[in-house]
Amino acid sequence: MEPGRCLGIAGPNGAGKSSLLGALAGWLHPTSGEVLLHGHPVHGRVPAEVGFAAQEVSFYPHLSGRHNLELFGRLYDLAGDQLRNRVDALVERFELEDWIEREARTYSGGLARRLHLAIALINEPDLVLLDEPTTGLDPGSRSTLVRVITELLDAGNAVVMVSQVLADLEIVAHRLMVVVEGRAVLEDEMESVMARAG
């Protein structure tokens, strides 16, 4: 992966897409090969340079959205003005201003996914891993997510995004990988894939 580039990953259920993201994040050990981040292996550790948003949303439902962001920020040793500024920037980026002081358990599916993704970015990661990020999103939330991914790429982040929605991958991905039964059966630049497949 190169800075400012997005790899889109598609494939049927059970193909190994989420397992691949787990290996890239450092918490699953691949059966062969290795994952290097900035030239260093990630196996056995979850690097601070990686932001990971799993398929299932995960946060503390009885805390407010703001308190969730602050809690996860503290896990990365953010504090004081640095933490406040980071939380405020994410609240604005994900358009959560009207909801951020409410308990997360009151969030709709789309709002919950936006908070989940904001938490994944609290550490300002170099590499962002997104597993089915548009699942269950209404058109407005989906548009917000696509905008955020585009901003991340413009800022030089690398993004790996798993999605069954090829239309989303067409918008944000520079390269497409199709995984079937644990193997990449296709990997090519998105423009080439689109030119061949329409």
Side-chain angles (χ1 to χ4, degrees), residues 36-184:
L36 301 177
L37 181 62
H38 299 305
H40 303 289
V42 302
H43 302 168
R45 68 183 183 98
V46 179
E49 304 92 343
V50 174
F52 183 57
Q55 193 169 352
E56 298 297 324
V57 296
S58 56
F59 45 69
Y60 292 93
H62 292 286
L63 294 180
S64 70
R66 181 177 302 280
H67 286 151
N68 268 286
L69 286 166
E70 290 172 348
L71 172 63
F72 284 95
R74 288 189 193 101
L75 295 176
Y76 288 99
D77 297 323
L78 300 178
D81 287 342
Q82 184 185 24
L83 177 58
R84 267 190 301 281
N85 292 340
R86 185 67 187 142
V87 168
D88 289 345
L90 288 168
V91 169
E92 181 178 355
R93 175 179 267 183
F94 283 93
E95 300 173 0
L96 291 168
E97 294 92 341
D98 294 339
W99 297 88
I100 199 64
E101 307 302 341
R102 301 185 190 188
E103 288 186 6
R105 66 188 175 93
T106 67
Y107 286 19
S108 67
L111 287 169
R113 188 156 292 278
R114 282 196 250 169
L115 175 62
H116 176 64
L117 295 170
I119 289 169
L121 300 181
I122 193 70
N123 55 323
E124 298 188 79
D126 298 330
L127 173 63
V128 181
L129 307 175
L130 305 174
D131 196 354
E132 302 278 2
T134 59
T135 298
L137 292 186
D138 60 78
S141 293
R142 180 174 169 267
S143 175
T144 297
L145 174 67
V146 169
R147 175 182 53 77
V148 168
I149 294 172
T150 302
E151 290 171 356
L152 289 170
L153 295 169
D154 289 344
N157 298 94
V159 176
V160 178
M161 177 172 159
V162 169
S163 181
Q164 303 286 20
V165 183
L166 293 179
D168 291 341
L169 295 179
E170 288 173 24
I171 295 170
V172 299
H174 298 92
R175 193 166 182 83
L176 177 68
M177 175 189 291
V178 177
V179 178
V180 177
E181 295 182 356
R183 296 187 181 279

